[in-house]
């Protein structure tokens, strides 16, 4: 039976109730045994457990939860996992701060334990937020990358890639964060504008003349191994091949020509240092220059820096500038804004050091990455080029080793005698070489049996860049290819160069296949001041605050409707409030309907009237438009179409236009009332179905109170998505006419300060067009009934009165 909805309802409590019931009833559980329904897999990003599920996450998760819900209703067996990407520096730093310790002061096991506790606590908080947002995750698929079982997969992927020749160990320049004391990948280097000075420094030519060289980094003078000029730079052509003496140190270096030099920078003569930046790395390789490494892992000057040894980079810069000034070797200095590469985590300027590290060959895959990027559907389309451009811009392979503790260990040992690399066998995994020896008796090369472990660990992205295969069940399920490639990879545009890229190269290298078929890209959330939302900007809004005030359904409407997919979306309380009002409107309309349908029998045959047909025809068009929008991941369009139909067409126009039929069957006939009931029942059901992916809670509540008894689905979220039916052009035409006239009359009543429910003694409608007049006659009762006209007359002349906006040839007159 249809239950009468209560007037007052605590929407927040309703949401919490359903969140609990959904988990208990396991309606979102993926059915591994179902071979009939098509599968739809979502490569849910495993977030880093910072402890805070912020509005950016809300936007991201709302996007793909809407997809999951829509696809489920479209008949897919939806695979919607959730993992947690636990390892990494941020946790190490926060644990150190929390306990006031340095990670080197306790044993690695002890430190790891503290990190796990910390991550677990944060995961708990974030999981609650994901549930609070109403995400239809299958929690039986939950995983954490810090669990040994996940290590096993990460390590297996390392071993397989090693065997395939994709992984190598080499001495190579790497980006190095002196603050964090670890190598970092290109993707972890951020470029920022920093103020600094460009110093014009005198080097000495063999004839005693000065050669002026401009640099922002005078502390690298001891690392200078050459001076370079452009081969076509006339100013220096005669000097190419000569030697020049570097100041303070007196060492002589050669002047070389290279067209990588920008003649417009400084004086056109630049110093090549090992290493100031990536360009230096190229120069050194190309001209086979020697190395002078004068900065160490802690960001201090080495003994190569002579009397500056032991100083920090900053101290050294200051002191060298002072010394140069004393010697009269600084011609001038100008203040400049320069682009500096900094560590993504701590914002310390990165240095380029030469280190023995583990690398994955990624550049050889660039051609494949580009080809696959074209096979993939991108929403929005242009995001494809972010991946391609990034892949092409890389000039180094991916450095995958890190000098940290809380990470997946590299399953490698070295023979203490001959240095042979021992790689773990797949059946040894998971394994921590720092605590466990290789399961062999002796070194296969020299026969000795002493091994030392690799103490470096893997980059966190090495864990999380195999999720598409892991979600599918690799390597344990034989049928994992059924769920691979993933149907949808959702991500923010800011991490295409990491997340989407690493997934791509790893799966290409491991399986020769792209990891995902579609990419759904979300923009960033902006604060109320239009800047990126950030705690330090004072424009930060916590998701929990929004949930508490207006609930998840209103918040999700902000996320869905805030802007086009992929664009930056400002957070606006007004948008959330608008969503809240929409829910109230829907509830009130549903409540009205529930009261009008007390004696309703859905099996009873009815004959729809023109106005009913008009509504159903418009609804059919809405189904078509909303379906198309969901298919294209255009959530803002889907929401807009649903809201316009529900609010304007259904509530403001249709319900008002059938009240007289519902209230006065003795005048308009019982059949007419039944037809209106039938239309209300069906239309509301379709509305809540269309809205269910966006507002899962309120729609579930209405469904259970009004429809579950007859429809018999355990949830609206497993009911089949509505199919459009044929449109009725004539009914739409007549209905539009009636609606336009009714709203003109209502406006006219309002302007005369008459209550809308007040009676009109006589209503005259002037319609000169004979055909329109005939059509109007078919809905004349509806107009009279809705407008409470005691007498109504259609007059086939121009007449005097208020013009109907949409039909300027029609006038109405209230008497
Ligand atoms: Zn750092
Ligand atoms: Zn050996």
């Amino acid at each position: 039976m249809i239950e009468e909805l209560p007037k007052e309802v605590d929407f927040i409590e309703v949401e919490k109730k359903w969140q609990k019931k959904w988990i208990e009833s396991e309606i979102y559980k993926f059915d591994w045994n179902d071979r009939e329904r098509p599968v739809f897999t979502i490569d849910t990003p495993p977030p880093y457990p910072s402890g805070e599920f912020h509005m950016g996450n809300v936007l991201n998760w709302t996007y793909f939860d809407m997809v999951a819900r829509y696809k489920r209703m479209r008949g897919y067996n939806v695979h919607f996992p959730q993992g947690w990407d636990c390892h990494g520096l941020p946790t190490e730093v926060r644990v150190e701060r929390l306990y006031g310790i340095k990670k080197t002061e306790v044993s690695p096991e002890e430190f790891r334990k503290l990190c796990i506790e910390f991550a677990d606590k944060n995961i708990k908080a974030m999981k609650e937020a994901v549930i609070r947002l109403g995400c239809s995750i299958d929690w039986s698929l939950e995983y954490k990358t810090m669990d040994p079982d996940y290590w096993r997969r990460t390590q297996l992927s390392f071993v397989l890639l090693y065997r395939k020749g994709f992984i190598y160990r080499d001495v190579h320049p790497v980006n190095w964060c002196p603050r964090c004391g670890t190598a970092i990948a290109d993707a972890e280097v951020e470029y920022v504008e920093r103020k600094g000075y460009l110093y014009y420094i005198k080097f000495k030519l063999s004839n005693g003349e000065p050669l002026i060289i401009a640099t922002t980094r005078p502390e690298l003078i001891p690392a200078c191994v050459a001076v370079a000029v452009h081969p076509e730079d006339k100013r220096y052509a005669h000097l190419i091949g000569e030697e020049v003496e570097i100041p303070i140190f007196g060492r002589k270096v050669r002047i070389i020509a290279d067209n990588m030099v920008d003649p417009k920078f400084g004086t056109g003569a630049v110093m090549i240092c090992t290493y100031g930046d990536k360009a230096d790395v190229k120069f050194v390789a190309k001209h086979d220059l020697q190395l002078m490494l004068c900065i160490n892992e802690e960001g201090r000057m080495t003994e190569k820096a002579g009397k500056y040894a032991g100083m920090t980079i900053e101290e050294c810069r200051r002191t060298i500038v002072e010394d140069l000034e004393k010697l009269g070797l600084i011609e001038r200095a100008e203040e400049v804004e320069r682009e500096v590469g900094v560590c993504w985590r701590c914002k310390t300027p990165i240095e380029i050091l030469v280190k023995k590290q583990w690398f994955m060959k990624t550049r050889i895959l660039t051609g494949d990455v580009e080809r696959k990027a074209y096979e993939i559907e991108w929403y929005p389309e242009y995001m494809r080029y972010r991946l391609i451009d990034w892949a092409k811009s890389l000039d180094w392979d991916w450095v995958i080793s890190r000098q940290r503790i809380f990470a997946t260990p590299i399953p490698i040992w070295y023979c203490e005698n001959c240095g042979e690399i021992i790689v773990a066998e797949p059946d040894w995994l998971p394994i921590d070489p720092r605590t466990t020896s290789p399961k062999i008796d002796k070194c296969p090369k020299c026969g000795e049996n002493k091994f030392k472990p690799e103490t470096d660990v893997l980059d966190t992205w090495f864990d999380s860049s195999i999720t598409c295969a892991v979600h599918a069940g690799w390597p344990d399920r034989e049928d994992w290819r059924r769920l691979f490639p993933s149907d949808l990879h959702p991500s923010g545009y800011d991490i295409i160069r990491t997340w989407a890229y690493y997934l791509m190269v790893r799966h290409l290298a491991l399986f020769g296949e792209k990891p995902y078929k579609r990419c759904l890209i979300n923009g960033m959330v902006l604060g109320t001041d239009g800047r990126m939302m950030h705690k330090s900007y004072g424009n930060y809004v916590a998701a929990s605050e929004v949930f508490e005030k207006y609930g998840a359904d209103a918040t999700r409407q902000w996320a869905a409707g805030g802007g086009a997919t992929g664009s930056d979306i400002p957070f606006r309380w007004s948008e959330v409030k608008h969503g809240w009002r929409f829910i109230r409107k829907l509830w009130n309309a549903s409540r009205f309907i529930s009261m009008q349908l007390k004696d309703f029998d859905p099996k009873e045959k009815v004959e729809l009237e023109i106005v009913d047909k008009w509504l159903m025809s418009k609804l059919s068009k809405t189904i078509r438009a909303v379906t198309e929008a969901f298919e294209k991941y255009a959530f803002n369009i889907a929401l807009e179409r649903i809201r316009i139909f529900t609010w304007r067409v259904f509530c403001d126009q249709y319900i008002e236009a059938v009240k007289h039929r519902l209230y006065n069957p003795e005048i308009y006939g019982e059949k007419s009332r039944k037809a209106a009931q039938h239309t209300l029942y069906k239309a509301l059901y379709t509305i809540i179905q269309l809205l269910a992916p966006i507002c899962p809670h309120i729609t579930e509540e209405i469904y259970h109170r009004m429809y579950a008894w007859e429809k018999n689905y355990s949830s609206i979220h497993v009911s089949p998505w509505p199919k459009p039916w044929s449109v009725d052009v004539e009914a739409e035409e007549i209905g539009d006419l009636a609606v336009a006239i009714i709203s003109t009359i209502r406006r006219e009543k309002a302007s005369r300060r008459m209550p809308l429910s007040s009676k009109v003694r006589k209503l005259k409608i002037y319609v000169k067009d004979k055909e329109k007049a005939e059509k109007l006659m078919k809905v004349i009762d509806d107009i009279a009934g809705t407008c409470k006209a005691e007498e109504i007359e259609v007059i086939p002349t121009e007449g005097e009165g208020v013009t109907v906006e949409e039909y300027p040839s029609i006038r109405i007159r209230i008497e």
Side-chain angles (χ1 to χ4, degrees), residues 89 177-182 184 343-348:
L89 198 58
C177 174
R179 153 71 190 72
C180 302
T182 183
I184 59 175
C343 167
W344 67 282
R345 167 69 201 156
C346 70
K347 313 297 174 204
T348 302

Side-chain angles (χ1 to χ4, degrees), residues 390-446:
W390 172 253
K392 285 181 164 176
S393 77
L394 291 168
D395 29 40
W396 294 353
D397 279 336
W398 177 15
V399 53
I400 56 172
S401 48
R402 294 289 183 277
Q403 293 65 46
R404 297 202 278 250
I405 291 172
F406 189 46
T408 304
I410 298 177
I412 292 276
W413 299 259
Y414 306 96
C415 170
E416 280 197 28
N417 183 47
C418 72
E420 176 73 354
I421 293 174
I422 315 291
V423 185
E425 292 294 321
D427 60 355
W428 303 355
L429 307 174
I431 199 162
D432 186 346
R434 296 168 297 185
T435 54
T436 313
S437 303
K439 298 176 195 305
I440 49 172
D441 304 330
K442 54 186 191 335
C443 168
K445 197 170 164 196
C446 74

